[in-house]
Amino acid sequence: ILGVRDIHADHAASHIGKAQGIVTCLRATPYHSTRHKVFLPMDICMLHGVSQEDFIRGKQEKNVRDVIYDIASQAHTHLEHVR
């Protein structure tokens, strides 16, 4: 952007983009769930014993919230790298 050529700026932009992508995916989860689609990482879901069906049914149990928290924490980690 504007001719800025700096490896540090590129690195920061990369982390910001990753954080924004994760947040967008989380924010869209209720919408996609109503259409029987889940785009969250299944390895994290399985770690907490959560299935795609739990999201589709709109469950809000602790293990579902833990999945969301873990994924949001990844976005936060990317923001910390930027700082």
Side-chain angles (χ1 to χ4, degrees):
I1 289 181
L2 301 174
V4 174
R5 296 194 185 273
D6 179 65
I7 191 143
H8 299 295
D10 290 347
H11 188 74
S14 173
H15 281 292
I16 289 171
K18 290 172 188 173
Q20 182 62 45
I22 292 168
V23 169
T24 299
C25 183
L26 285 175
R27 291 183 65 207
T29 295
Y31 170 82
H32 290 298
S33 295
T34 62
R35 283 146 184 81
H36 302 290
K37 306 271 188 213
V38 179
F39 297 107
L40 300 176
M42 292 316 305
D43 58 333
I44 295 175
C45 293
M46 289 173 25
L47 180 69
H48 293 285
V50 175
S51 68
Q52 289 182 343
E53 192 66 29
D54 292 331
F55 286 100
I56 291 169
R57 291 186 180 178
K59 291 188 177 180
Q60 296 184 8
E61 297 168 356
K62 183 181 181 327
N63 59 344
V64 173
R65 291 191 313 268
D66 289 343
V67 168
I68 300 300
Y69 181 84
D70 280 359
I71 296 170
S73 293
Q74 291 178 0
H76 184 262
T77 299
H78 285 293
L79 289 178
E80 287 299 313
H81 283 297
V82 172
R83 290 185 182 130

